[in-house]
Amino acid sequence: RRARPDAALRGSDLVDAAHAAGLAVYTWTLRPENRFLAPEFRRGASRSAWGDWLGEFTRIMDTGVDGVFVDHPDLGFEARAAYFDSEYLP
């Protein structure tokens, strides 16, 4: 699936490879502020403003990780509930 055999694995390819090797995968640490989000999930110019944290959290869950660490447990719970309730499932 990789373009080059020596290319780094990313996203679900990395998670799948880890699972195939018998490993569990956990992310560390999901936060809602722009400064911690990938550029496509940032909203506004302020680094401390909250961006589209739900979008990023959902993308991460789509990779098949086994669990996540969050600094805002309420947001982690909300993201998990939204993901498993629904529209976010592939």
Side-chain angles (χ1 to χ4, degrees):
R1 295 189 339 177
R2 291 185 278 172
R4 296 182 359 235
D6 62 336
L9 292 172
R10 305 186 94 176
S12 60
D13 290 337
L14 175 62
V15 174
D16 291 345
H19 286 161
L23 301 171
V25 179
Y26 293 86
T27 66
W28 199 298
T29 294
L30 300 180
R31 293 189 54 104
E33 298 93 340
N34 281 327
R35 81 181 74 205
F36 300 107
L37 298 174
E40 64 267 29
F41 296 106
R42 295 177 189 157
R43 300 293 178 263
S46 173
R47 292 171 38 96
S48 61
W50 286 20
D52 179 15
W53 61 270
L54 184 56
E56 181 164 282
F57 288 22
T58 298
R59 180 176 293 169
I60 291 167
M61 288 187 288
D62 277 342
T63 67
V65 296
D66 298 290
V68 298
F69 291 89
V70 295
D71 284 349
H72 298 270
D74 55 326
L75 299 184
F77 182 84
E78 182 179 337
R80 183 183 180 277
Y83 186 80
F84 286 108
D85 276 352
S86 80
E87 63 198 75
Y88 294 111
L89 286 174

